[in-house]
Amino acid sequence: AVRIDSADIYYCIVTSSSGCSDTVSYRVNRVYDASAAITSSAGGSQMCSGDTVLLFAQPPLSSYTWYRNDQPLRETGGVLRITEPGLYRVDVRIGDSANACLSSASIDMVQRTRSFLELPDSLVICQGDTALLDIGNIFTSAAWSTGETTRSLRVTKSGIYRVTATINGACRDTASVVVTVKPAPFLS
């Protein structure tokens, strides 16, 4: 067996036991990586009920056959839109002939229970005080409107603070908190 990893002309010289030889040449126009792979728009294999997740098959410019729990699906393109968990598989075929390269990949999409952020709609604090906004222990990542990516945010100024939180890249929820800072009482 010979591994061909670049486009070129390859020669095979065959010599018989009587000393006769012949040369055959093969032109290889392209070499593809025929290893199938699946990635998801959720960033992994977890999804929440009600979510729509896109599965992307690789390599591109191939023909695809998709399956869910070993049952064939109608989609034949490189992107599959899913709303249910299950074991998804794609068979990838590169080329049109009987000698086409075939490969398969699978991903087991697991459904998580949808969680919701539990933040108040509004908070009032006195000047000089700090409000602590926290996404809780269920969510694994946060992106605050301030640019912070921490689980909690310390606030000392009036404003609307938005956060988008996810659980391992899936199960996204968004919340906003209006923080109002009141002047501290003046004692005379």
Side-chain angles (χ1 to χ4, degrees):
V2 175
R3 178 176 170 83
I4 297 175
D5 57 6
S6 63
D8 205 343
I9 298 174
Y10 294 87
Y11 299 93
C12 178
I13 302 171
V14 179
T15 305
S16 68
S17 59
S18 62
C20 296
S21 65
D22 194 10
T23 302
V24 178
S25 66
Y26 297 95
R27 175 179 288 281
V28 176
N29 294 321
R30 289 185 180 166
V31 176
Y32 293 100
D33 178 1
S35 302
I38 299 175
T39 57
S40 81
S41 62
S45 61
Q46 297 184 17
M47 61 188 297
C48 271
S49 58
D51 282 355
T52 297
V53 175
L54 300 178
L55 300 181
F56 304 95
Q58 296 294 325
L61 306 174
S62 304
S63 64
Y64 309 94
T65 306
W66 289 95
Y67 300 86
R68 179 176 175 265
N69 299 329
D70 290 325
Q71 298 299 311
L73 302 172
R74 291 183 182 170
E75 180 60 52
T76 58
V79 179
L80 179 66
R81 180 183 305 270
I82 65 168
T83 57
E84 297 178 22
L87 179 61
Y88 289 88
R89 185 182 90 223
V90 65
D91 293 343
V92 178
R93 180 184 181 98
I94 300 174
D96 299 331
S97 69
N99 296 324
C101 297
L102 300 173
S103 185
S104 293
S106 62
I107 187 169
D108 191 6
M109 295 301 294
V110 178
Q111 186 167 337
R112 295 186 58 95
T113 303
R114 180 164 294 285
S115 296
F116 298 97
L117 288 165
E118 296 181 10
L119 290 169
D121 293 333
S122 63
L123 283 174
V124 177
I125 60 173
C126 290
Q127 188 175 7
D129 288 346
T130 300
L132 181 65
L133 307 178
D134 191 283
I135 64 169
N137 294 326
I138 296 171
F139 291 92
T140 57
S141 68
W144 295 91
S145 56
T146 60
E148 296 289 323
T149 56
T150 55
R151 297 176 66 79
S152 58
L153 183 69
R154 295 185 184 282
V155 176
T156 59
K157 296 180 182 174
S158 292
I160 300 172
Y161 295 88
R162 287 180 278 302
V163 63
T164 298
T166 63
I167 302 172
N168 297 323
C171 304
R172 182 180 317 270
D173 194 26
T174 302
S176 295
V177 180
V178 177
V179 175
T180 304
V181 178
K182 298 266 185 171
F186 179 72
L187 297 175
S188 56

